[in-house]
Amino acid sequence: MQLNHYLNFQGNTEVAFNFYRSVFGGEFLNVMRYGDMPAEEGISLSDAEQQKIMHISLPINEFTVLMASDVNEQFCAQTNQPFTVGSNHYISINLDSSEQAEAKRLFDALSKGGSIEMPLEKTFWGALYGAFTDQFGIKWMVNCQLENE
C-alpha cells in the first residue's frame, strides 16, 4: 500500500504541475484529460473543459507521488461538494490488484460515519476506485489498480 497526496484545482492543474515539476524534477507518469473519458449520456464538455486535467501524477521520490485533477462546477454539483481552496486535498491509498479485499475493507472502515463521494467500484481506467470524506472531515481516495481484464 502507498499513501499519496491528491490535490484538486479549479482549472490550473497543468500550470501548477509544470511548476512542481520545475521544483522537484522528474517526468509525469500519467496525464489524462477530460476529453480522454469515454462519452457518457448527459455529460457535455466544452472544448476548453475537455483540455482540463482529469488526472496527473508526478513522482517526487521512490515513496511519494503527487497527484491532482481539475474540478469544475459540474463535478462539484454532482458530488455536492463545493470547491474550497484549502480543502482541495485528499489522502490517496493506492493498492495493487492482489489487494482488492483490502481496498474494500479500508474503504468501508474509513468511510464509516462519513460521507461517500463516489462508491468503491470498477472504473474505465482499470481500477477499483472510491472517494469519501471520513467522520473527521478528512478526504480520502482508495484506488486499487486491476489487472488487464
Side-chain angles (χ1 to χ4, degrees):
M1 175 182 6
Q2 186 179 38
L3 294 176
N4 291 305
H5 299 280
Y6 203 103
L7 308 174
N8 285 332
F9 294 90
Q10 205 166 22
N12 59 343
T13 298
E14 191 164 8
V15 171
F17 266 64
N18 281 325
F19 169 74
Y20 297 146
R21 183 174 61 179
S22 76
V23 172
F24 294 109
E27 295 299 323
F28 300 130
L29 286 178
N30 298 327
V31 178
M32 294 173 62
R33 298 183 185 279
Y34 281 101
D36 298 332
M37 285 190 323
E40 292 185 27
E41 289 185 39
I43 296 180
S44 175
L45 299 174
S46 70
D47 290 341
E49 289 173 319
Q50 289 183 31
Q51 292 305 308
K52 297 296 179 191
I53 301 294
M54 186 178 87
H55 176 76
I56 191 167
S57 56
L58 176 65
I60 303 300
N61 59 39
E62 65 180 298
F63 305 107
T64 306
V65 179
L66 186 61
M67 298 179 279
S69 61
D70 284 312
V71 296
N72 58 32
E73 290 178 26
Q74 189 173 351
F75 172 83
C76 292
Q78 183 179 5
T79 61
N80 198 26
Q81 302 218 1
F83 179 87
T84 305
V85 173
S87 67
N88 53 329
H89 178 267
Y90 287 79
I91 298 172
S92 178
I93 300 172
N94 299 284
L95 303 124
D96 66 34
S97 62
S98 67
E99 300 175 293
Q100 291 180 48
E102 180 67 354
K104 180 168 178 21
R105 185 190 75 77
L106 289 168
F107 184 91
D108 291 345
L110 287 168
S111 67
K112 186 175 181 179
S115 172
I116 294 177
E117 181 179 315
M118 182 175 170
L120 189 66
E121 58 191 18
K122 289 184 180 179
T123 64
F124 71 86
W125 65 83
L128 190 61
Y129 172 85
F132 58 91
T133 302
D134 71 18
Q135 61 184 317
F136 305 105
I138 304 300
K139 294 178 175 231
W140 296 82
M141 296 176 169
V142 175
N143 190 79
C144 182
Q145 197 60 44
L146 303 173
E147 294 195 22
N148 296 335
E149 298 180 352

